[in-house]
Amino acid sequence: MFLLSEDRIDREKVTADLKEDQAGALVVFEGWVRNHNQGKSVNSLEYQVYAELAEKEGKKILDESREKFNLHRAIAVHRFGHLVLGDTAVFVGTIASHRDDAFRATRFIIDEIKLRLPIWKKEHYTNQAPEWVYCRDHTTHVHFEEKDYYEKQARLIDSACLSRAKVLVVGAGGLGCPALMALATAGVGEITVADFDHVSLSNLHRQTLFTTEDVGEKKATVARTRLSLMNPFIRVHSKLKRVEADNVASLVSGQDLVLDCTDNFESKMILHDACFLAGVPLISASVYRFQGNIRTFLPSEEHGCLRCVFSATPDDSLIGNCNDFGVLGATVSTIGSIQASEALEFLANQTNSTIRDTFYLDLKTLSPMKLRNLKRADCEGCGSRPDLGKKNGTDSITDAHRPSEYEISIDEVKSSDFRLVDIRREDDAVLDRLRESLAADESESEGALPSPKWVVYCHRGIRSKKLVQAQRAKGFFHFYSLKGGACSL
Amino acid sequence: MIGGSKKNIEVRYYASLREQAGKESETILTDCRTYGDLYEDLRRKYPFTLNLDMMQVAVDDAFVSMGAEIYSGQRIVFIPPMAGG
């Protein structure tokens, strides 16, 4: 029984209903009007309620609690209108066969009431103007336990690996929606959604993160909101951007993995080249009508790269896309889910099934194909004469971003005017601090000082390479990384 | 061309090629030397719209170079580029 009441709550009367011979425990919670909140002296309270919705939702909460905790009965009463100090604002009472159920159910009910009911509270203070207080700010999700969320997958995958991971998903469309949902609900700790587009009605049959209410909204923004609601234990960022040659380096920089869920070759190539140059693994998926493919690209080059397949970007207008040839929700959802599954496998174990082979699946005939990737010796990307960045679309990925340009050996350091900087005991912001100190020197001397070249080194040259690459992505080219790190000194 | 140089191969088509060829696969006798030659030859038979430089070819479950030589008994799959999503 759920009630809204403008009158004082009569405890005797309400608890009279909480009796049953099978019941072994009664737990009662009362929320009272107290004389202070967050340092302010409170005189009285005022509650406003959207009654129709509150009654419906309140009844739902009680139904859920009875089911979840084997209750015999549950009662909740919420006051509205004007309340004075000492009044009971909320009453919750449950009876169950065992005390544990009654305790947990009562806690559940009051938390859900705070979270879900459309009830607003205004506090009247002793010596300042009254204010509406947003209860959700300090009570949200208190009853949600992270380990409960992942309970059913804990035997299959290491949640700690996933929660440490940073993943960029480019494209929140037919592939991106299912991929994002699978990554978010599996607990990938930090997800960035990049998409420049708006939700349209013709997206909804396949882009499962969106509803009719979202038509006209930015996909990345809606995706962020929805994913955060699906899993409150991760962080989701949105970038309202189309992947272009001049922003791609900063997008992929610092990511542990990138998912290409785009629908055109121009974007696929730009993303592939940037990931390759930045040393970030990439899982790319595409569909054509009832067919799809998935491939993982590693910067290690052992199994070739996308430039081994296409030295120039294929003309999108010749291939056809979803607009030209149609697309089915079930097909893209399957391919996007397999892509996410490959991503989770890679994050957990640093390997997966689509590194060595490209996986093709025909949903019409259910015929799968795994084809061993080809590495081309004269490839412009990973071959003996790399020429990446000078191809169409990617002109701005210049030589300065290429590892061979900023990774230098100890012999080169000795023969030239470099300053060695040990970053083994420094945190990841060390290069930002060095850059600031350089900027300060420059402004003092009005730019007359020659720019120094700093060679930073860590233990093995892996972390230093990543940090230097990040600086170059930001357009700062004074840093170099010592190949092999301190081990080479 | 001596008669013995004809090679018996199975060709499979994928994505748009499947629609343009009107079939998933076929067995043919060919005297083409490379996979690239074979694709150009098939283009005379079917209305394939994609140029050779956009195609990939796989033989017996591995991608190979278009310039590599065809042998009898091979299962050859032509795969056009896919970019939808």
Side-chain angles (χ1 to χ4, degrees), chain B residues 62-77:
Chain B
F63 285 108
V64 293
S65 154
M66 279 288 179
E69 198 164 333
I70 297 174
Y71 291 97
S72 200
Q74 287 181 328
R75 191 176 69 229
I76 299 166
V77 191

Side-chain angles (χ1 to χ4, degrees), chain A residues 174-175 262-265 268 286-289 291 309-310 314-315 318-319 322 358 360-362 365 369-374, chain B residues 12-16 18-19 24 49-51 53-56 58 60-65 77 79-85:
Chain A
L175 292 167
T262 67
D263 62 358
N264 65 87
F265 261 111
K268 284 179 189 296
S286 299
V287 293
Y288 175 84
R289 302 195 64 179
Q291 298 155 355
V309 182
F310 304 111
D315 185 346
L318 295 178
I319 298 160
C322 306
T358 304
Y360 289 84
L361 183 61
D362 185 324
T365 57
M369 270 199 304
K370 268 169 90 177
L371 299 178
R372 182 69 44 91
N373 295 318
L374 178 70
Chain B
R12 289 190 185 178
Y13 303 105
Y14 212 75
S16 61
R18 183 176 298 176
E19 290 141 29
E24 279 183 41
T49 50
L50 291 165
N51 288 332
D53 62 0
M54 297 179 86
M55 300 301 304
Q56 282 180 272
D60 299 337
D61 299 334
F63 285 108
V64 293
S65 154
V77 191
I79 299 170
M82 260 188 244

Side-chain angles (χ1 to χ4, degrees), chain A residues 369-389:
Chain A
M369 270 199 304
K370 268 169 90 177
L371 299 178
R372 182 69 44 91
N373 295 318
L374 178 70
K375 182 175 166 69
R376 198 158 49 80
D378 61 346
C379 172
E380 296 79 358
C382 65
S384 51
R385 295 180 295 107
D387 192 26
L388 210 56

